[in-house]
Amino acid sequence: MSLLGKLLVPAVVVLGAGLTVIPADAAAPSTGAAGTLAARQLERLDRGLVSVRSGSGNLVSWRWLATDPSDVGFHVYRGGTRITSAPVTGSTNYLDAGAAAGASYTVRAVVGGVEQAAEGPSLSFTNGYYDVRIQNPNSSAYAANDASVGDLDGDGRLEIVLKWEPLNAKDNSQSGVTDPVYVDAYRLDGTRLWRINLGRNIRAGAHYTQFQVYDYDGDGRAEVAMKTADATVSGTGQVIGNANADYRNSSGYILSGPEFLTMFDGRTGAALSTVDYVPPRGTVSSWGDSYGNRVDRFLAGTAYLDGQRPSLIMARGYYTRTVVVAWDFRNGALTRRWTFDSNSSTNPGTAGQGNHQLAIADVDADGRDEIVYGSLAIDDNSARLWNTGYGHGDTLHVGDLDPARPGLEVFKVDEDASKPSSWFADARTGQILWSTPAAGDNGRGVSGDIWAGSPGAESWSSIPDGVRSPSGAVVASRKPGSTNFLAWWDADPVRELLDGTHIDKYGTSGDTRLLTASGVHSNNGTKSTPSLSGDLLGDWREEVIWPTSDNTALRIYSTPVPTDRRITTLLQDSQYRTALAWQNTAYNQPPHPSFFIGSGMATPPRPVAAR
């Protein structure tokens, strides 16, 4: 059994507008002034009940919530008729064989032998998918891109926040004027709640617009945060700054003019608080070049820095200077909690250590989150926690990748030809547990338990040979066909390969196709990522959202495969939940929970209550 499995016990507490628990990742929760355990603010969720067409029947699945007793059971109803002879206790799904496509379902929790109120109705995935209609700002010039989720209106159901990327979007290294970026919010029934126009002074591309969707003020409704500028227009028509300002130069770069950070109301898109973006660009060349590439490399995330309430993380730079800033949103205002700057004398050697994404996790098990910024980890109080000095890379995975040892691990690839091409480290200390020889720019890498033939997570990347165990040993010579995303899709806890518009099962002699999505496209060029992937609905397995080929809908796929395993919804493991929030950041990466899911896994941990 893993360390987390030994330490955690089931219990929850509900306070205020949202759910407040110590989630699975808080193995050693922090203490407040009175010595009580610090509980984390999380979303209050409904059952997320779905019905997915499975052969000649329907797979009905739902969430096991942190507020449920560990011995809870569930009865399933089709229409007004109960179809389960005994409560479902071993899983949170039920195959209704022979049922008509489109049948409507509800579930009732059974607690102490007593049925509770009906919850539902189910969302019907009649063809194996569910379409959320979206409104393209210009069908000849825009494509649906990255998405995130949050309960924007406080009803327990997740809404989708979607970024519309113009077809002339640019990587920072490319010159050219881009059209404005739009950000929309949609209910699952296709109702558009609002649209934000970021305006001419925010360039379009994967490195410019990192948006965070989270309930930062604890009122039970998620906010939306992103970088803004003069001429940004909120969802209610408010213009931020000067509506007529245009700072684009002849190459399309925006290297002058004010920069802002805005917190928007998730219900309306109204601007709630706007502050100056920190750090300002200052002298462009101080970030690594003079034409405007490295000055506009932004990252974003959400972290529980005090162990209880989420803070917004906004960052600039990773090739040379790195600045990471933590913000709190309380009582309607953004205030700065702290700033980490690689230029500071207290942070020597930390420049140039960032990735094209970050990860958030409680790596030192003190109940408070850290920011893993690539080869660098920043403590909850902005102190440098560790620094391997191995520099920049394109891929980063943080999770319980080796359940045989306590705590979390980091797997990362590097592009510096003088540094290891990939490495595996203790997430608490940064101690390198194994590495592969330097070999130039190692552009892709993945770590997850994709093969039951070797304990723990398998790690592989573009250049080094083979698939490696948590010890670094090559345990399979054949690498997967994908070095991209992951998803839990089938019945077992071994994770599948998600790449482009398909899902495959790894095999040592060849991958097996489990899903080829119909009429959709992937995003972000060669990265071939979905708009979003994670445990969004139903049981603990993961959904995948792709835009349709004509960009008129977001097509959500959910597994049609029954499973005999029951795991608390991963949305209530805060490491996993914050990973969903940062998934859209730059080079998108799959989420990892704070505990191991895979072959031979221990009993999954349950969130624990403040005492």
Side-chain angles (χ1 to χ4, degrees), residues 395 397 411 444-448 458-461 482-486:
T395 300
H397 293 259
F411 175 70
R444 304 285 180 89
V446 183
S447 189
E458 287 72 52
S459 302
W460 70 100
S461 56
S482 165
T483 313
N484 192 5
F485 250 61
L486 299 168

Side-chain angles (χ1 to χ4, degrees), residues 477-524:
S477 59
R478 179 189 172 271
K479 291 193 288 191
S482 165
T483 313
N484 192 5
F485 250 61
L486 299 168
W488 282 291
W489 186 257
D490 64 7
D492 64 50
V494 173
R495 216 167 184 186
E496 280 67 58
L497 307 166
L498 169 57
D499 187 29
T501 59
H502 57 265
I503 295 174
D504 296 334
K505 187 81 167 178
Y506 171 73
T508 55
S509 59
D511 299 335
T512 301
R513 183 62 46 87
L514 300 183
L515 172 71
T516 300
S518 172
V520 300
H521 69 80
S522 60
N523 295 321
N524 302 315

Side-chain angles (χ1 to χ4, degrees), residues 303-316:
Y304 290 81
L305 300 174
D306 64 1
Q308 298 177 281
R309 301 184 69 180
S311 296
L312 173 66
I313 305 298
M314 298 298 287
R316 182 176 220 145

Side-chain angles (χ1 to χ4, degrees), residues 24-44:
D25 52 331
S30 59
T31 58
T36 57
L37 297 182
R40 291 193 175 196
Q41 166 203 311
L42 296 175
E43 294 156 310
R44 185 194 294 272

Side-chain angles (χ1 to χ4, degrees), residues 37 73 85 159 179 205 214 227 233 249 264 274 278 290 300 352 369 376 411 453 482 509 518:
L37 297 182
S85 57
E159 282 76 44
D179 292 325
Y214 222 85
K227 185 174 179 283
V233 182
N249 66 21
F264 294 94
T274 296
V278 179
S290 59
D369 286 340
L376 167 71
F411 175 70
S482 165
S509 59
S518 172

